[in-house]
Amino acid sequence: MPKTEGTQTGETVEELKLAAVAALDSADSNDQLEAWRVDFMGRKGRLTGLLRGLGSLEIDERKVVGAAANRLRGELESLFEERVNQSKSSQAPVGSIDITLPGRKPSHGGLHPSTQMIREITQAFNEMGFQTIEGPEVELEKYNFDMLNIPADHPARDQWDTIWVDDDTHNDVLLRTHTSPMQARTMETNDPPIRVIVPGKCYRYESTDATHEWHFNQVEGLAVDEGITFADLKGTLYEFARRIFGPSMKVRFRCDFFPFVEPGVDMSIEWQGNWLEIMGAGMVHPKVLENAGYDSTKYTGFAFGMGPERISMLRNEITDIRHFFSNDLRFLTQF
Ligand code: FA5
């Protein structure tokens, strides 16, 4: 830049440039940047003063100084803009989070509808004095069938055919068909009184339809003590239905057969004008008590097993049980 002098402010273009660049360098806040802009570039600023003073110069000198002053104005404007942008970007992103973006609701997971129903059912029984326990899904034939009074040649085995575990050393390991094996396991290792509730997965080798899955949950219940009667079974299950479906719910018991109870029943509730079965139940068969080493002349008990998905279907008007396990978020996020 040519050496130019003789302006109204007494400042040469070079002097003004040095002063402006140094002041801009040391401006480290938005307020200081603005003060710099007013001081150097404002209407009454030093550069404007310099330009106004051009009129007092000789024509030749005016041309040279004027051109240099206009170049300086361009330079200072771009330097200023650069500093303003630097200042903005140093305040905006912190790490990978851009704090200048508008807030968004964080997405969070939820409990599976089966889990929600299981928790509601177990809580109802917990409040009636039942303790929640769990058992193995890969089970021995002994507990799934034999101890429950279902010998190898019993037709009930066909009804509960399942997936057997292929193993060189064992031919008696299977995916349990129901949660009832936990009746035998609990009695084998505990003395009465017993009051347990057992949620868990079951597996059956069967074709699926709107109300049948090949894997599903059950919730088993077992109470054993001296003097337990069928009235205790009915009273407990009435109370359960009242808690889950409301006080005006109508309940029906009908005779049913399960080899491990005597007498056996199924329990239905009235739902939109129809009776719908939600569980099997009955008084624990004396043989099952004896298989576990209990004196069946002293102790009696009741047991029941229900399907939480079926209950959730009723409560939530779900028309197909297969939705529960198809992992479709459009279904799952409705709960
Ligand atoms: C049993 O599994 C007996 N263990 C229940 C029992 C326990 C009876 C204790 C007496 C004493 P059942 O096969 O009916 O019975 O099944 C019980 C419940 O599991 C049914 O009422 C239903 O709610 C559910 N369930 C059965 N099969 C399926 C299936 N394929 N898909 C979905 N839920 C099922």
Side-chain angles (χ1 to χ4, degrees), residues 109-216:
L111 290 176
H112 189 276
S114 299
T115 309
Q116 289 180 29
M117 199 67 242
I118 288 171
R119 290 198 179 179
E120 217 179 304
I121 294 168
T122 50
Q123 191 188 339
F125 284 104
N126 292 157
E127 286 166 13
M128 289 189 266
F130 287 72
Q131 183 192 350
T132 304
I133 57 166
E134 288 183 306
E137 288 176 27
V138 182
E139 187 52 283
L140 290 169
E141 186 180 6
K142 170 182 156 191
Y143 293 107
N144 198 79
F145 294 125
D146 302 289
M147 299 267 288
L148 295 175
N149 196 29
I150 312 174
D153 55 358
H154 198 288
R157 286 214 181 192
D158 298 340
Q159 183 195 333
W160 281 312
D161 199 2
T162 188
I163 299 152
W164 293 81
V165 176
D166 197 4
D167 184 308
D168 288 344
T169 48
H170 299 98
N171 59 359
D172 58 349
V173 180
L174 50 87
L175 299 187
R176 68 178 173 194
T177 57
H178 51 174
T179 41
S180 298
M182 280 306 287
Q183 290 183 33
R185 284 185 177 274
T186 308
M187 287 191 270
E188 195 178 44
T189 48
N190 294 278
D191 290 328
I194 287 173
R195 272 199 296 273
V196 289
I197 191 89
V198 193
K201 284 289 281 293
C202 305
Y203 305 82
R204 291 186 191 176
Y205 182 63
E206 66 178 326
S207 44
T208 60
D209 60 28
T211 53
H212 292 83
E213 258 292 5
W214 67 271
H215 61 118
F216 53 95

